[in-house]
Amino acid sequence: MENNNLPLVYEMSTQAVVLCTVAFMSFLVCIPPLIWHCRNGNFPASCLIMWILTQNLFNFINPLIWPDDDFSSRWMGYGYCDIQSKLITGAGVGIAGPLVCIFRSLAKVLDTERTTLVPTKGDRRWNITFDVIYCVVIPVVIMVLHFIIQDSRYYIYSIVGCMPAYHSSWVSFVVGYIWPPIILIIACFYCGKVLTTCSTPFT
C-alpha cells in the first residue's frame, strides 16, 4: 500500500548543484587574499574581495533555498531578499570602484616622473578620501537611489534567487544602469596609464 505521508525528497537541478558548488569553492579561495590585504591595509583590494565574497555567498545559499520553479512551497525571502537586492544594485559599482583605486595607485607608483618617496599629509588624506568615495560612498548612494526606481520589493527566480526590481523607464537607466560602465571607463583610463608607463623604455 502506498504511503502518502512520506516526506518529499528535496531535489536540486544540475544547474543548482553546479552553481552552489562553484560558488562555495570561490568563496573559500577568496578568504586568504582577503586576510592578506586586510593585514597590509590595502583598502581597495579588501573591498573588491568583500564584494566578490558577498556575491559568491549569495550564489551558494540561493540555490539551496530556491532550487526549482516551485515557489508555492518555498520561502518568499522577506528581509533576506530586501538586503540582497540592495547589495546587488551596489555590486556593479562596488566591484568597479576598487578597480579604479587599484589602477590609480599602480599608475602613480609607476609614474617615476611625478612620484614622491614620502607622500605629504595632504596627499595621503586625498588618497584615502578617493578610495572611500569609490569603494564605499558611491555603492551606498546607488543602493539608496534604487528605492526611487524599483517597481516592487524584489524578484525571485529559480536557482539564482533574489534579484532587484527596476522600473522600465529612462530614469532606471540614468540612476541605476549607467554608473558601472562609467566607473569602468575611469578604471580603463588609469589602466591605460599603467600600460603606457610600463611600455615606456627607461633611459
Side-chain angles (χ1 to χ4, degrees):
M1 182 177 179
E2 184 179 354
N3 187 357
N4 294 325
N5 295 324
L6 290 177
L8 296 175
V9 178
Y10 188 81
E11 296 182 354
M12 293 180 64
S13 64
T14 303
Q15 295 89 338
V17 173
V18 171
L19 178 59
C20 188
T21 303
V22 174
F24 181 71
M25 295 173 61
S26 301
F27 182 89
L28 294 179
V29 168
C30 288
I31 293 178
L34 175 63
I35 296 174
W36 188 85
H37 284 295
C38 288
R39 287 179 176 176
N40 287 276
N42 194 337
F43 182 70
S46 300
C47 290
L48 175 62
I49 298 173
M50 282 297 298
W51 279 107
I52 296 174
L53 274 173
T54 302
Q55 299 306 306
N56 282 324
L57 181 62
F58 290 143
N59 287 333
F60 169 70
I61 296 175
N62 290 355
L64 299 176
I65 303 176
W66 299 285
D68 51 40
D69 295 325
D70 181 17
F71 297 108
S72 59
S73 60
R74 307 294 183 193
W75 178 44
M76 296 308 296
Y78 299 124
Y80 171 75
C81 283
D82 290 306
I83 296 173
Q84 182 180 346
S85 61
K86 289 296 177 288
L87 290 176
I88 291 176
T89 60
V93 292
I95 292 175
L99 293 178
V100 173
C101 301
I102 293 170
F103 292 144
R104 176 176 176 269
S105 298
L106 289 175
K108 292 183 64 176
V109 169
L110 294 174
D111 189 358
T112 56
E113 296 182 357
R114 296 182 177 86
T115 188
T116 56
L117 295 177
V118 182
T120 65
K121 186 176 181 180
D123 290 336
R124 291 195 299 268
R125 187 178 301 164
W126 166 242
N127 290 333
I128 294 174
T129 302
F130 188 93
D131 291 346
V132 171
I133 289 174
Y134 276 89
C135 296
V136 179
V137 175
I138 294 179
V140 170
V141 170
I142 295 299
M143 286 188 281
V144 173
L145 290 178
H146 178 249
F147 282 104
I148 68 176
I149 57 175
Q150 64 182 87
D151 58 359
S152 61
R153 290 177 65 175
Y154 49 79
Y155 298 132
I156 298 180
Y157 299 97
S158 61
I159 302 177
V160 296
C162 316
M163 293 297 292
Y166 291 91
H167 189 270
S168 57
S169 66
W170 64 269
V171 179
S172 296
F173 176 78
V174 173
V175 175
Y177 293 119
I178 198 173
W179 295 108
I182 289 177
I183 296 178
L184 285 175
I185 290 173
I186 300 174
C188 289
F189 167 76
Y190 285 113
C191 186
K193 294 183 66 174
V194 171
L195 295 176
T196 302
T197 305
C198 291
S199 62
T200 302
F202 293 97
T203 57

